[in-house]
Each structure stands twice: as structure tokens, then as C-alpha cells.
Amino acid sequence: MNFTRWSARLPGTQRRAAARTEQTASPDRRGEGSVPAARAEQPTGEAPSVPAVDELRVRDVLDRVPSLVALVHGPDHRVAYVNDAYTTAFGTRPLGERARDALPELDALGLFPLLDQVQRSGRPRTVKSRKAPDGRSYTFTCTPVAQGDGQGGSDGRGVLVFATDVTDHAEAAERLRASERRQRETAVTLQHSLLPQELEQPDDLRIAATYHPGGTEAAVGGDWYDVITLGGGRTALVIGDVMGRGVRAAAVMGQLRTAVRAYARLDLPPHEVLQLLDGLASEIDANQIATCAYAIHDPNEGKLVYASAGHLPILVRDENGTVLRADEPTGPPLGTGGWMHSSGSIALSPGSTAVLYTDGLVERRDADLDEGIAALERALSGATGTPQVVCDRLVRSAGVTPDHDDDVAVLVLQHPARTGPEEELFRNAALELLGGVEAAPRARAFASGVLTSWRFPADLHDLGVLATSELVANALQHGTPPMRLRLRRTDRRLIIEVTDGDDHLPRRRRAEPGDESGRGIAIVATIASNWGCRRTPGGGKAVWCEFVLPRGGL
């Protein structure tokens, strides 16, 4: 076959040829002050100069190209030429035959639709890193060519197939992807192991949570959540996000979550917990930034008291479907230092649902963050059912799929409105402690009457009255007015709490045989299932204890 009939019409070829023709035809112009072009001296008898590129035959060039080259022409892609590299890779190929029969390797690679497309459009196309039957990986470029006379029509068109061996690059890329998959699997495993394996379920709240790791290779980050029962009926709820990806972010998240649980045991206000966490975050890794929202629910107050370090606002849906956004106060992220955090509050009345979440749920690259939060508000306004049902609906409404490009954590809590027989299990009774020493017998009589009305067994009734007597006596001796006794019953425990105006927290100590005081807290700690104390907002303290009710109810 006369190979010189075909000329590759590659981008820029005609322009470069025209430029060379113009340069050859232009006379040598030497104006005043011009510098003549340098000329190489060739001694007589030496070999002639190397021919210019235009003087080389195309076939001589392609035969020596290490890449695979094949030329097909016509509507059925008849084989016009294959170079030596091609025959070395796939064997000798017959010329003049249909490519589908003569070049089965192109059929196995699915290139024939591409050849048709290139021939019809007259534009080159490239497919990257396809594995051929010989086990090697190639990048194929298909370029349209035409007969040298420029005649059109499908019979006068061909396609030059140029394949570059990229096996080494493909294998290196696969090794890198495998390494990234292993790192991601490690990060996901670490992330799940550091998150709560089973959420604590407080008496007065129903809670569910979910975590979705990002679907991309490096999308596993440091999102976390936690539920911490503080005792006395109070519950701490936490959600946070460590910026960054991979094992390092997950490890930092684990340290922060452990620290939050430790600080929560101190029963501090939310802003003080974040203040401690802020200092710790900078010590863990000064280059890691984390956001966090910490909230406390007290069933006696009917609200969430919270503090936020650069985190997204908590959303609360009331029993009528109205959604409120807890925007303020919000401080900078953890680890920045130099900021005094403060606490705010938002109503959480019976029948309400609150949602804490990370930015992966609402943030999209093509939309403003406020739009994502507004969309979540709309979804929450119509979300009913159990916390797990609400959680799943919010995730679906946000379009979170397995290949989502960011990890997502969602924590949903409900303060149920109790009616009927269940309402009888959740009761409150309170007494203002007025007067002097006579307040102690009044408190014992009040506690005895309440516990009797709640039909507690005699042994639990007696322990409750004894604990009340000791807590009240401690407040009368060491505290200041105003003082108050509160008894609370849930479906699982009895809670006794005494508040007063002095902020000095009692501690358990060993009383010497001759001491007249110091045994009250020790007695309470011995007979109760749990006890604790905390400072109250505006000054003062609360000392509480609780008794676990017998299984099976009363």
C-alpha cells in the first residue's frame, strides 16, 4: 500500500508547514546595523547534513516510534498500517482487512465506537489507561487523517491510532489507590471505634445518632458526637468536627471526645467546658482546628443550655412544627485561644425535637451554607416519628449518599410529651426550705409523704427519707438561703436534690471518731446509687443523689 498517500492532519501541522515555506521563500534582509546569521562551516569530504523533518518519510519515523501506531481507513476501518512496536505487542496483523477482524485487541478495549466518532466528527479523541489483552495498560489517542489531495468523504478518511504504554504509571497509581483505601479503612475503623458504641439513654430524653463516612478516598474526617448522663436527671449532648482528613483527624477527635467526657463529670456550665477544651485542643495539635457544640438538658428547666465553638447552630422543632435556630452565642473554633466563651439557652419543652449536626449535612460547594441550614429547617419542620426515623429522614433529605464527599454526623433528641399511665411515672415535688432548724423535720415529713404517694417500697421509702434528711442538714449547716428541696421520679430512678445560695461544693471525707460533723455526705454516698454536686447559674449550688428503682417497675 502506498503509505505516502496519507498525511496526518494534526493540530498546528498546516500552520507550521506554512511558516516554514514562508521562511524559506523570504529573502535574506540585512539592514543597517543588523547582525548576519551564523553559518556552520563544513570541511570538505565530511558527511552531508542531516535531512530536515520535511524530507523524512512518515513511515520511516513511525516504524521507529516506541509507541504503538496503527492506521485504519474507510467506513469499515480497513487496516492500512501497523508499526513494529504494534506487531511486537500484539503480533503481525494483516493489511487491508477489516480492523474488527484484524485488530481484535481494539475490539476488546471497546475502541471501535471511538473510531467511528473520530471519523464522523473529524476531531481527535483520547482514552486514558485501558488494560489490553496482553496485560499492559495503554493510553490511546485516535486522530483523523485524510488523503493527501484533501478529498472528503468517508472513503477518503482514516484514523491514526496512537497508543502509549502507561503500565508503570497505572500500576503506581493503583498502588497509591490501594494505599489510600487502606488508610481510609484504618481511619473509618478508628473513627467508629472512638464513637459511642451504644448511646446512653437518659430517663427524660429519647436519642438517636448516625455517622456517615465520606465516600471519597480521603473524606473520613473527625466528626463525632456523644451523650453523657450527668446524674440528677441532667444530660450533656456533644457534637464536634475536627478539620482535616484521615487517621490524624480521627485521632485528634478521639482525644477531644475523651476530654469532653472527663470535663463533663465536673458538671460545669457549657461555656466552661469549652474553655477547658479550647486550651487542650491547642496542646494536642496547634495546627488542628475543631468546632464543637456542648449542651446540657435539665428536665426541671425545660430548655437546652449550650455553648458553641465555631459550630453550626442547634435546631429545635416544637410540638407545633415551628423550627427555631440557636444562633448565639458562638465563639471561634477550639484551639484558637484568647476567647471567653459564653452560654446561651433555647426552649426544649415536652414534645420538642432538637438536632445537632456537622457541616457535611448542610454544606455544598455550589450553594451557600445558610441555604443548606434553611433546607434542613424545612426538612425538620415536617419530620415526625422516633429520633431514629427523624435522623434518617434528615440524612435522606440532604441527599447524603455513599459517595458523599464529606463525613456526616447527626444527633437527634426528643423531649417526649408524656400522657396517660406513662405520665404517672414522671412526677416532681418541691419544697421551699424556710426558717431555721425546724426546716429539717418539715423536709423529712414532706419527703415521707411524697414517697408514700408514689407507692415506693418501704426500704426505698426509708432510704429516700434518710438521704433527704442528710442533704437538708448539710445545706442548713453549710449553705445560705434560698434553699429548696426537690424530689423527682422517673421510670428508672428516684432523684433527690437540695439547692442553696452558697457556691462552696461539699466533698466526701473521712470523719474522725470525735468529729460532730462530716458524716452526712458519706452516708448519702453509701446508701445512694450515685451522688454529686454542681454550681448553679447565678450563684449557689445543688447537691443531689439518686436511687435506681427495682426492675419491672413499682
Side-chain angles (χ1 to χ4, degrees), residues 474 478 504-511 518-522 525 531-533 541 543:
N474 183 77
H478 302 288
H504 177 73
L505 300 180
R507 60 185 178 87
R508 183 178 180 181
R509 63 185 179 89
R510 183 186 298 275
R519 295 181 176 83
I521 296 299
W531 81 281
C533 56
K541 66 177 178 294
V543 185

Side-chain angles (χ1 to χ4, degrees), residues 57-384:
R57 296 176 63 244
V58 174
R59 180 163 188 163
D60 292 338
V61 175
L62 296 182
D63 280 343
R64 291 166 175 78
V65 170
S67 300
L68 282 60
V69 180
L71 179 68
V72 298
H73 71 93
D76 53 357
H77 306 304
R78 299 279 174 172
V79 180
Y81 166 77
V82 291
N83 72 346
D84 294 341
Y86 197 103
T87 57
T88 300
F90 298 115
T92 303
R93 294 292 183 258
L95 302 181
E97 299 292 331
R98 295 170 65 249
R100 193 173 294 275
D101 300 325
L103 307 178
E105 58 277 358
L106 298 188
D107 192 15
L109 291 165
L111 289 182
F112 284 112
L114 186 67
L115 296 179
D116 295 335
Q117 182 183 7
V118 170
Q119 193 173 65
R120 287 194 304 268
S121 66
R123 297 179 180 179
R125 293 288 187 272
T126 298
V127 292
K128 295 183 178 180
S129 189
R130 289 194 178 181
K131 182 170 286 189
D134 66 346
R136 310 288 291 178
S137 296
Y138 300 90
T139 291
F140 289 87
T141 298
C142 299
T143 303
V145 298
Q147 286 184 327
D149 58 7
Q151 295 176 356
S154 60
D155 291 337
R157 291 183 179 178
V159 179
L160 184 70
V161 181
F162 190 90
T164 304
D165 190 332
V166 293
T167 304
D168 292 342
H169 296 284
E171 291 177 350
E174 180 56 35
R175 288 193 296 271
L176 179 61
R177 286 192 294 268
S179 175
E180 291 175 345
R181 283 195 297 270
R182 288 193 297 271
Q183 184 179 20
R184 182 177 185 275
E185 290 169 0
T186 301
V188 170
T189 302
L190 177 62
Q191 180 89 345
H192 280 292
S193 67
L194 294 174
L195 289 173
Q197 302 304 302
E198 185 176 352
L199 285 179
E200 297 182 25
Q201 293 293 332
D203 296 358
D204 293 276
L205 296 175
R206 294 202 296 255
I207 299 177
T210 186
Y211 170 74
H212 292 266
T216 59
E217 295 295 337
V220 178
D223 291 18
W224 94 91
Y225 55 82
D226 208 349
V227 178
I228 309 166
T229 52
L230 302 177
R234 303 167 77 247
T235 305
L237 307 129
V238 194
I239 195 159
D241 185 2
V242 177
M243 304 304 163
R245 297 288 182 265
V247 174
R248 180 58 184 167
V252 172
M253 175 274 288
Q255 295 178 77
L256 291 177
R257 176 175 175 257
T258 301
V260 169
R261 293 193 70 88
Y263 295 148
R265 299 305 177 192
L266 301 175
D267 212 342
L268 300 171
H271 65 276
E272 292 190 25
V273 172
L274 290 190
Q275 209 71 52
L276 292 172
L277 205 60
D278 181 54
L280 180 66
S282 59
E283 294 179 10
I284 293 175
D285 190 338
N287 297 320
Q288 286 279 8
I289 300 298
T291 64
C292 180
Y294 182 92
I296 294 177
H297 174 256
D298 188 330
N300 298 305
E301 297 178 357
K303 62 183 178 181
L304 277 179
V305 179
Y306 67 91
S308 174
H311 204 77
L312 299 172
I314 299 172
L315 302 181
V316 176
R317 175 189 184 274
D318 65 19
E319 57 183 347
N320 298 319
T322 302
V323 177
L324 302 176
R325 183 188 300 191
D327 281 328
E328 298 294 341
T330 299
L334 300 175
T336 55
W339 181 266
M340 293 301 295
H341 291 276
S342 57
S343 296
S345 64
I346 187 170
L348 189 71
S349 56
S352 297
T353 300
V355 179
L356 292 79
Y357 52 96
T358 57
D359 58 1
L361 186 67
V362 295
E363 189 173 34
R364 300 294 181 268
R365 296 179 181 177
D366 56 350
D368 186 77
L369 180 60
D370 283 337
E371 295 179 8
I373 298 176
L376 181 63
E377 290 178 343
R378 292 191 294 271
L380 178 59
S381 66
T384 58

Side-chain angles (χ1 to χ4, degrees), residues 451-462:
L451 298 180
T452 300
S453 69
W454 289 348
R455 299 178 182 178
F456 284 162
D459 57 343
L460 182 57
H461 170 278
D462 294 342

